């Protein structure tokens, strides 16, 4: 049991929350308010945020306001804004007038006094304050991490995937609607630096021994991707010659780690080169790419990827695949940066479809290996990760209640995609499909159905049963077979209806395809030497 729990913890690289009630299928009204597109959300479209806050490390306290600009889509006068306890909204203003707010735990319903005419662009100012939830085990159990570096200086960071950005700032806390652009203004004590998303627009030294940094994000950004990182940082940078021209790559690390970071972060441009090859141009050239050192393992914050892997190869010095290939790269740099394409560029509308983020990004790890070490090395790696798969519940969670699916979304998801690559039998076509995903759904929020339909269309294979099998059940297709008197009999078991995936096998050292179904089939063979191609994520059972 301890081993299984450790594997589960290791697998949850982004924030997988332990929601015991939700695992039992019991959901509260708050789950629905958090996880569904309520009438108080759907009538308005986010266009711009200006988050303007002061962080007081000694008190573990933040205060300020978020200016929320929006476009009116439907007639409505009540707006839902989310902010989790113990944080509190102190007042909401529109056109200088204070508005009525009805508080319902973590959801707050604001009655607007001005007419909301369809097509209008309006804004409100939400003032708030409080001691935000402190992260107990970031990033899995997130919030604010209030730490200190070895020199006794404050070292602070946010992480809130799953838990929600509303754990520390008021916003429309649902994945379906990404704000078009955002200004993040953070005031903190003098002598410390804040690094957030996008590019630094201005740094202001205030009279009261504080400094204010203004970071501007010019691309759409998901709410959990917004972050604050405060520390005794120094910066170094380089320019990557990428598919869309020059890309600024910036690195913010604790002062004492500057020299080791300059050597270790060489994986970052290597990552960029490999992933632009496989997935297409980095999606946020205008906002730069940053690695930011933090006091926890790391997270995929858009254009501000956080790093805490202790300057080690692999995952804190270990290889999650058990093959040795996982020690050829820094896991956090590769995995979390892979999320720039899958999570930040292509974002799930509902967290139930989080496999889109984690399955493709876990798969990106072996594509990085493929680019630098070849196809066999990458196959070794992804196949090696199968030992981490639990098959405890389906990869897709329950919709509209902020419920994630199984943590198997990482490596079962990756092995599902590796299997799909075999079915296509054309690596260049597969690469163009992956690039096409990032083009077709550029800066969009998507559903599983959209991804399924796109892959079926582009592969020219009806993948309905394939995805039903791997995403919606815990059953692993099992090829049951027997060999008697020169005849091979075989069929699929443990499958969904209409599952008929072909599979490559090796008979007497020669590779060929079989086309099993649920019903028994037979084939004449002249050998007992039979094995299934390892690249397919299936089981086998010889009778």
């Amino acid at each position: 049991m301890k081993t299984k729990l450790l594997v589960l913890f290791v697998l949850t690289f982004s924030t997988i929350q332990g929601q015991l009630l939700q695992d039992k299928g019991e959901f509260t009204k708050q789950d629905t308010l958090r996880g569904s597109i309520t009438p108080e959300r759907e009538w308005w479209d986010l266009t711009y945020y200006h988050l303007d806050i002061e962080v007081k490390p000694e008190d573990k306290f933040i205060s300020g306001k978020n200016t929320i600009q929006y476009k009116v889509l439907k007639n409505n006068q009540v707006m839902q804004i989310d902010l989790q306890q113990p944080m509190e909204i102190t007042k909401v203003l529109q056109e200088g007038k204070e508005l009525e707010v009805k508080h319902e735990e973590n959801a707050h319903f604001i009655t607007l006094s001005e007419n909301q005419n369809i097509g209008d662009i309006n804004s409100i100012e939400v003032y708030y304050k409080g001691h935000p939830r402190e992260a107990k085990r970031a990033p899995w159990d997130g919030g604010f991490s209030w730490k200190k570096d070895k020199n006794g200086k404050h070292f602070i960071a946010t992480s809130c995937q799953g838990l929600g950005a509303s754990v520390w700032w008021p916003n429309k806390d649902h994945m379906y609607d990404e704000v078009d652009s955002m200004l993040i203004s953070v005031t903190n004590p003098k002598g410390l630096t804040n690094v957030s998303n996008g590019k630094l627009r201005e740094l202001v030294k205030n009279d009261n021994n504080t400094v204010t940094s203004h970071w501007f994000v010019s691309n759409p950004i998901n709410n959990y991707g917004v972050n604050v990182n405060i520390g005794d940082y120094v910066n170094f940078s380089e320019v990557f010659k990428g598919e869309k021209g020059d890309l600024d790559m910036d690195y913010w690390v604790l002062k004492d780690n500057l020299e080791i970071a300059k050597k270790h972060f060489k994986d970052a441009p290597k990552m960029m080169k490999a992933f632009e090859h496989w997935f297409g141009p980095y999606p946020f050239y205008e906002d730069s790419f940053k690695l930011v050192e933090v006091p926890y393992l790391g997270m995929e914050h858009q254009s501000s990827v956080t790093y805490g892997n202790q300057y080690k190869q692999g995952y804190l010095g270990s290889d999650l695949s058990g093959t040795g290939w996982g020690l050829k790269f820094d896991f956090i740099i590769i995995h979390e940066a892979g999320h720039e394409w899958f999570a930040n560029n292509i974002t799930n509308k509902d967290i139930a479809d989080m496999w889109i983020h984690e399955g493709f990004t876990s798969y990106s790890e072996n594509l990085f290996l493929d680019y630098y070490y070849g196809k066999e090395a990458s196959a070794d790696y992804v196949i090696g990760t199968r030992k981490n798969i639990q098959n405890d519940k389906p990869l897709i969670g329950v919709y509209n209640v902020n419920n994630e699916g199984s943590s198997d979304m990482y490596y079962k998801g990756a092995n599902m995609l590796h299997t799909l690559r075999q079915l296509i039998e054309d690596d260049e076509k597969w690469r163009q499909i992956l690039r096409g995903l990032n083009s077709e759904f550029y800066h969009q929020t998507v559903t599983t159905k959209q991804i399924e339909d796109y892959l079926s269309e582009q592969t020219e294979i009806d993948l309905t049963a394939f995805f039903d099998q791997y995403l919606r059940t815990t059953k692993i297709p099992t090829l049951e077979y027997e060999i008697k008197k020169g005849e091979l009999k075989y069929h699929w078991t443990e499958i969904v209806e209409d599952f008929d995936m072909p599979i490559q096998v090796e008979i007497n050292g020669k590779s060929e395809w079989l086309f099993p179904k649920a019903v028994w089939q037979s084939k004449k063979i002249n050998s007992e030497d039979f094995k299934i191609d390892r690249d397919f994520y299936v089981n086998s059972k010889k009778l």
Side-chain angles (χ1 to χ4, degrees), residues 199 236-251 268-270 272 285 288-289:
K199 287 193 172 183
F236 65 101
S237 62
E238 61 186 318
V239 175
F240 177 79
K241 302 291 185 181
E243 289 193 16
K244 290 177 68 174
D246 290 348
L247 171 63
D248 293 328
M249 299 186 67
D250 278 286
Y251 311 104
K270 287 182 64 179
M272 195 63 69
Y285 267 71
S288 78
F289 173 85

Side-chain angles (χ1 to χ4, degrees), residues 29 54 98 172 222:
K29 183 179 180 181
E54 181 172 5
E98 188 163 352
K172 188 181 196 176
N222 63 57

